[in-house]
């Protein structure tokens, strides 16, 4: 069985602060994929990143960065210099060979001006 | 490139009724997955369709059924609606290859309310 845990239900920061969203996963698959999605109030899930289990290189895309650590089964997401437009629910998700996504419960991020 | 579209946007049904939700996949994608997202929770996998056949199913009863058409669009049908079926239903399309799983792109969802 696969499981994704996002322990932080809600996070509130002031604009320009850095914020890290935690994600811990469980899987028995040797090959798997990790994802982050953003869900703004409109409801549509927006794809942010995909990582496969063989690639532990950290990734940076603009103000976003991801830290994948297989040893601790974690795939954390950091937003640098947060902006009000970053306010949304963020989901971490996992898929194995079957490509179905198992989502965490999400973290509600609120960035205050 | 056309993204994933879903219809209708909102729907209100009465308990016991049946409902059909529709999804058009993104151009070039061959797989459609459906998810149910209850308020305040993460999406739950319902099932996936690949080449017009069900290719995996989550923990949902048989009254949840689906179809995929030759143009890769899809329908989700729910019979004998229950109050707990009230949720946001999300469709996602992806390209499934022989050795790799690509990211899934989601539509805007259909908000179903059962009264």
């Amino acid at each position: 069985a696969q499981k994704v845990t996002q322990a932080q239900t809600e996070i509130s920061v002031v604009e320009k602060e850095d914020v890290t969203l935690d994600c811990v996963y469980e899987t028995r698959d040797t090959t798997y994929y990790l994802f982050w999605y953003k869900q703004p109030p409109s409801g549509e899930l927006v794809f942010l990143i995909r990582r496969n289990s063989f690639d532990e290189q950290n990734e940076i895309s603009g103000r976003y960065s991801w830290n994948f650590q297989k040893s601790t089964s974690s795939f954390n997401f950091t937003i640098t210099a947060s902006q009000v437009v970053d306010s949304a629910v963020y989901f971490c998700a996992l898929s194995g060979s079957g490509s179905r996504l198992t989502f965490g419960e999400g973290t509600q991020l609120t960035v205050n001006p | 490139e056309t993204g994933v579209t879903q219809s209708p946007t909102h729907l209100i049904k009465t308990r016991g009724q049946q409902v059909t939700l529709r999804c058009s996949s993104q151009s070039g994608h061959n797989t459609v997955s459906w998810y149910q997202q209850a308020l305040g929770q993460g999406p739950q996998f319902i099932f996936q369709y690949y080449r017009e056949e069900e290719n995996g199913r989550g923990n949902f009863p048989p009254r949840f059924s689906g179809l995929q058409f030759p143009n890769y669009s899809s329908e989700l049908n729910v019979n004998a609606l229950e109050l707990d079926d009230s949720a946001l239903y999300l469709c996602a399309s992806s390209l499934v290859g022989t050795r790799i799983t690509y990211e899934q792109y989601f539509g805007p969802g259909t908000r179903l309310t059962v009264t």
Side-chain angles (χ1 to χ4, degrees):
Chain A
Q2 299 184 331
K3 185 178 179 182
V4 176
T5 302
Q6 295 180 254
Q8 304 150 308
T9 305
E10 294 182 23
I11 298 177
S12 182
V13 299
V14 177
E15 209 170 14
K16 298 185 182 177
E17 282 187 24
D18 297 347
V19 57
T20 296
L21 309 181
D22 298 334
C23 172
V24 174
Y25 63 91
E26 297 175 29
T27 181
R28 294 179 183 174
D29 292 332
T30 53
T31 300
Y32 53 90
Y33 299 85
L34 294 162
F35 304 81
W36 276 95
Y37 284 86
K38 174 182 180 179
Q39 189 173 44
S42 61
E44 185 169 345
L45 282 166
V46 178
F47 166 77
L48 297 177
I49 189 171
R50 174 181 63 106
R51 217 69 184 134
N52 73 54
S53 52
F54 297 112
D55 184 2
E56 288 192 68
Q57 241 184 343
N58 291 331
E59 182 158 340
I60 298 175
S61 176
R63 296 185 297 108
Y64 296 170
S65 63
W66 291 270
N67 183 347
F68 176 28
Q69 292 199 340
K70 215 169 176 178
S71 60
T72 57
S73 298
S74 65
F75 186 45
N76 296 336
F77 173 30
T78 297
I79 302 174
T80 303
S82 60
Q83 300 176 0
V84 173
V85 294
D86 295 328
S87 297
V89 181
Y90 289 86
F91 289 97
C92 180
L94 166 70
S95 77
S97 56
S99 79
R100 71 173 63 178
L101 290 172
T102 298
F103 285 86
E105 291 299 297
T107 297
Q108 169 71 60
L109 173 65
T110 302
V111 181
N112 298 298
Chain B
E1 188 177 79
T2 305
V4 179
T5 61
Q6 291 185 244
S7 63
T9 306
H10 294 89
L11 204 52
I12 300 175
K13 289 286 189 177
T14 303
R15 190 172 46 184
Q17 286 187 315
Q18 177 266 343
V19 68
T20 297
L21 310 182
R22 295 178 174 80
C23 170
S24 291
S25 61
Q26 185 165 314
S27 175
H29 287 180
N30 58 11
T31 302
V32 174
S33 303
W34 286 92
Y35 294 82
Q36 180 196 67
Q37 186 178 18
L39 199 60
Q41 298 183 18
Q44 299 291 316
F45 175 75
I46 302 175
F47 44 54
Q48 182 182 87
Y49 278 83
Y50 173 63
R51 293 184 176 178
E52 302 178 50
E53 292 194 0
E54 190 176 288
N55 181 40
R57 188 179 184 92
N59 189 26
F60 282 81
R63 58 189 186 83
F64 284 78
S65 62
L67 286 172
Q68 185 182 32
F69 300 100
N71 65 355
Y72 303 120
S73 66
S74 176
E75 285 182 356
L76 164 65
N77 299 292
V78 187
N79 294 322
L81 284 167
E82 301 177 359
L83 296 179
D84 284 348
D85 295 334
S86 296
L88 180 67
Y89 288 85
L90 295 163
C91 167
S93 74
S94 59
L95 178 62
V96 174
T98 55
R99 295 184 180 180
I100 193 168
T101 296
Y102 293 94
E103 53 272 18
Q104 296 184 23
Y105 290 91
F106 285 80
T110 294
R111 173 72 64 187
L112 173 64
T113 302
V114 182
T115 61

